[in-house]
Amino acid sequence: MSHAMLILIIAVCALATFATRVLPFVALSRHAEHPLILHLGRYLPPAVMLILVLYALRHFRPLAEGSLNGGENGLPLLLASVTVVMLHLWRRNALLSIIGGTGLYMAMIQLGWFMPG
């Protein structure tokens, strides 16, 4: 496959991705003040975050294993979760909270901290 073909494929994929992100805003721009749109804009982001938190913590059962480090990622998961909450309460910045918690979790996992021996 030539370089030109690869560039064309990447450009088409980027355009398709951009179009799918922009389309809802263009389609709903006339209804921006509709009560349903305002309601979704207010309550959907926290609901999605709650679902993500529940999904991330779905296997965390420290009491079942007898220690906080039970399972594959017990203590690192708990420490990263607490870090996310503390960063968010301190700065009220979702991006900072996500990057801080993810960075701490990945550092603990990749460096082998708190893993059962």
Side-chain angles (χ1 to χ4, degrees):
M1 189 177 296
S2 69
H3 289 294
M5 184 59 112
L6 286 175
I7 291 173
L8 179 64
I9 290 171
I10 291 171
V12 168
C13 289
L15 184 64
T17 301
F18 181 73
T20 59
R21 302 301 190 265
V22 170
L23 186 62
F25 292 101
V26 172
L28 298 174
S29 64
R30 294 181 300 174
H31 306 288
E33 297 301 319
H34 190 276
L36 177 62
I37 301 298
L38 294 174
H39 179 77
L40 289 174
R42 181 171 184 189
Y43 293 108
L44 200 55
V48 169
M49 291 304 293
L50 178 63
I51 290 169
L52 290 173
V53 167
L54 293 176
Y55 179 78
L57 298 175
R58 73 190 181 283
H59 295 301
F60 182 65
R61 291 178 182 83
L63 299 178
E65 281 82 10
S67 74
L68 274 180
N69 203 23
E72 224 173 85
N73 57 2
L75 192 55
L77 181 60
L78 182 63
L79 290 174
S81 299
V82 169
T83 300
V84 168
V85 170
M86 289 176 19
L87 282 172
H88 191 71
L89 290 175
W90 176 51
R91 300 302 294 178
R92 299 279 184 207
N93 185 328
L95 187 59
L96 174 67
S97 304
I98 292 168
I99 290 173
T102 303
L104 178 64
Y105 179 77
M106 291 310 295
M108 287 187 284
I109 294 300
Q110 295 300 318
L111 296 174
W113 299 345
F114 303 113
M115 297 307 289

